[in-house]
Amino acid sequence: MPAVVAIGGGGGKEYPGKLTPFVTITCIVAAMGGLIFGYDIGISGGVTSMDPFLEKFFPSVYRKKHHDKSSNQYCQYDSQTLTMFTSSLYLAALLSSLVASTVTRRFGRKLSMLLGGVLFLAGALINGFAKAVWMLIVGRILLGFGIGFANQSVPLYLSEMAPYKYRGALNIGFQLSITVGILIANVLNYFFAKIKGGWGWRLSLGGAMVPALIISIGSLCLPDTPNSMIERGEHDEAKKMLQRVRGVDDVEEEFNDLVAASEASKQVEHPWRNLLQRKYRPQLTMAILIPFFQQFTGINVIMFYAPVLFSSIGFKDDSALMSAVITGVVNVVATMVSIYGVDKWGRRKLFLEGGFQMIICQAVVAAAIGAKFGIDGNPGDLPKWYAIVVVMFICIYVAGFAWSWGPLGWLVPSEIFPLEIRSAAQSVNVSVNMLFTFLVAQIFLTMLCHMKFGLFIFFGFFVVVMSIFVFYFLPETKGIPIEEMGRVWKTHWFWASFVEGDDDYGNGIQMAKGEQAIKNV
């Protein structure tokens, strides 16, 4: 029995439309919402490796790093207060994403983006002027609220605005912005760490105001999506926007399907409860497992703590920050590969190739660190060539993630949800992502201390499991109009049993059209 039955765009409806300059620019502006997420991921690890920052806020870590020469290098950053500084943001993002679901559904995607930018701006200001640890935590919580709103609204906005033939590439613009944000943060950390007087960390944290202003101002300039306008009863405006977005006047069929989907969604009084219906089991499964697996690739071990990790395995501070810059460059370039290939090669091929690449690299890095550091974490003099080999394989690992699980972890969930559960399901997706990002961030340094090089084997195991999951249970979604996505489950060897016999499946379009026809009679 085959793992899946893949469906191309020619198997169903093909709405007219083209990739217009208007929709391209609109999606680029919206995708910049990823900058705030990426900047924070990159900035936090670099700041926590800066000695003036550690000395001021986390003196016990500073003493362990510089004065306790007997300390196991695996454990020199093991501090729950330090990890709470990083991970509190993701707990706040989890909570805010639940509220963001309602805001996104009732008031549109634009308002959620604006709220995300404003909250992130407030958090950046507090962190930049922080005098005590509690100010850092409060600032991080506000940053988290901002990320929760942005991550809820931006992927949905991109999936709804993009023509279905180009949806993958335009949606991955969000992930590209995340990687650009990480790279910018790593470069700034490298140079700010050299500022005399030791206050460069304030510029790193306060610099988050720039991406916050970009998404805040950008959201005010963006149009709302036709889907969101229809959801709020603005049918005439929605049709005009759809014509402008698609670049053609003949949008009647797509518009009617959007209206029908909206009418069906309004009949759903409790979208959260509706998620539990059997016919939505495939989407709910993906909304939970894809973000879970994305975090357990181990990528945030690299991106959160790249400078800390490199410092812990024998690099000096400047070298650690520069190594993080190198991985940041690889991240951006590899994400561009995904933009080029996602609508050409398909989602499944990228998922599986990226998974294989990450498994190999994790095994090599575990062996390299284990051979040199052993169990006691004292490598002695680390040869330069040896360090280069470790960095090289970490870069290959980052590339594998950046053209597979990185962008596709956001793209696939955002494009498979029917309109009636879309906001709620995306909220589940973001919440699960943030929950496990929080857990990984909170326990990583403790895991590094106790599991040592075995940490890479731990995450490698999950990469094996999730690659098997994709092979058997994830259908191909390239080239499928977002309002026609229901048919991929009806032809899948496993999921078909959950949706069979449900003629109104797929945003309730058939049911809604039938009811409209009866009214017309």
Side-chain angles (χ1 to χ4, degrees), residues 16-17 239-240 242-244 246-253:
K239 188 169 186 179
K240 291 176 183 176
L242 189 60
Q243 289 171 332
R244 190 178 181 192
R246 298 294 178 250
V248 295
D249 293 328
D250 179 20
V251 295
E252 203 66 32
E253 184 179 22

Side-chain angles (χ1 to χ4, degrees), residues 29-341:
V29 173
M32 287 185 180
L35 285 174
I36 62 176
F37 192 20
Y39 186 88
D40 182 82
I41 290 174
I43 217 71
S44 55
V47 164
T48 52
S49 71
M50 294 182 187
D51 286 342
F53 178 81
L54 291 175
E55 192 174 14
K56 181 174 180 62
F57 296 106
F58 306 99
S60 63
V61 176
Y62 179 80
R63 287 193 299 270
K64 193 187 299 184
K65 179 180 177 183
H66 289 282
H67 303 303
D68 186 0
K69 299 302 181 183
S70 64
S71 176
N72 187 320
Q73 288 205 44
Y74 287 122
C75 302
Q76 66 180 6
Y77 285 94
D78 184 18
S79 164
Q80 289 303 305
T81 309
L82 177 61
T83 50
M84 179 57 73
F85 160 73
T86 299
S87 59
S88 58
L89 177 146
Y90 302 98
L91 188 60
L94 186 160
L95 297 174
S96 70
S97 67
L98 303 177
V99 178
S101 169
T102 302
V103 173
T104 302
R105 181 182 174 94
R106 292 186 180 178
F107 303 106
R109 286 54 167 151
K110 279 183 58 175
L111 184 61
S112 278
M113 286 188 231
L114 177 61
L115 285 173
V118 170
L119 288 166
F120 199 87
L121 179 63
L125 280 168
I126 293 174
N127 273 352
F129 291 103
K131 298 290 186 181
V133 172
W134 69 266
M135 290 183 70
L136 288 178
I137 302 299
V138 169
R140 296 287 293 171
I141 289 172
L142 287 173
L143 293 175
F145 287 155
I147 285 174
F149 275 94
N151 286 8
Q152 165 74 19
S153 53
V154 172
L156 287 185
Y157 185 95
L158 294 171
S159 287
E160 291 178 350
M161 288 294 277
Y164 68 92
K165 292 180 180 179
Y166 306 99
R167 187 178 60 242
L170 291 175
N171 192 291
I172 289 175
F174 176 67
Q175 178 67 19
L176 179 62
S177 286
I178 292 176
T179 62
V180 169
I182 293 171
L183 175 59
I184 291 172
N186 287 335
V187 171
L188 292 179
N189 278 335
Y190 180 77
F191 288 105
F192 289 160
K194 297 178 180 296
I195 293 177
K196 293 181 180 180
W199 52 275
W201 62 268
R202 291 194 183 276
L203 293 178
S204 291
L205 295 178
M209 291 185 293
V210 176
L213 286 170
I214 290 174
I215 186 59
S216 298
I217 296 171
S219 66
L220 294 174
C221 302
L222 290 173
D224 221 334
T225 68
N227 310 61
S228 183
M229 290 177 177
I230 292 170
E231 222 172 2
R232 302 196 307 274
E234 302 169 3
H235 286 204
D236 292 339
E237 295 87 343
K239 188 169 186 179
K240 291 176 183 176
M241 181 55 63
L242 189 60
Q243 289 171 332
R244 190 178 181 192
V245 166
R246 298 294 178 250
V248 295
D249 293 328
D250 179 20
V251 295
E252 203 66 32
E253 184 179 22
E254 183 175 5
F255 178 74
N256 289 337
D257 281 350
L258 291 176
V259 171
S262 179
E263 291 300 319
S265 72
K266 288 177 181 175
Q267 297 172 18
V268 179
E269 296 181 5
H270 305 287
W272 289 96
R273 190 185 305 165
N274 209 47
L275 268 174
L276 301 178
Q277 290 186 25
R278 180 179 173 84
K279 67 179 179 178
Y280 297 127
R281 203 67 52 79
Q283 291 95 331
L284 182 60
T285 300
M286 298 303 163
I288 293 172
L289 288 184
I290 287 179
F292 167 80
F293 284 137
Q294 187 191 53
Q295 294 313 308
F296 275 81
T297 58
I299 187 62
N300 283 339
V301 171
I302 303 298
M303 291 305 169
F304 281 162
Y305 298 108
V308 172
L309 179 65
F310 288 128
S311 180
S312 293
I313 62 174
F315 288 66
K316 294 180 180 179
D317 289 343
D318 273 4
S319 300
L321 289 170
M322 180 50 69
S323 299
V325 172
I326 293 170
T327 58
V329 172
V330 171
N331 203 11
V332 171
V333 173
T335 302
M336 291 179 180
V337 173
S338 187
I339 290 175
Y340 170 79

Side-chain angles (χ1 to χ4, degrees), residues 54 157 161 300-301 307 344 353 382 404 417 461 485 498:
L54 291 175
Y157 185 95
M161 288 294 277
N300 283 339
V301 171
K344 180 177 291 190
E353 191 285 330
L382 193 68
S404 63
F417 303 139
F461 166 78
M485 196 62 71
F498 290 86

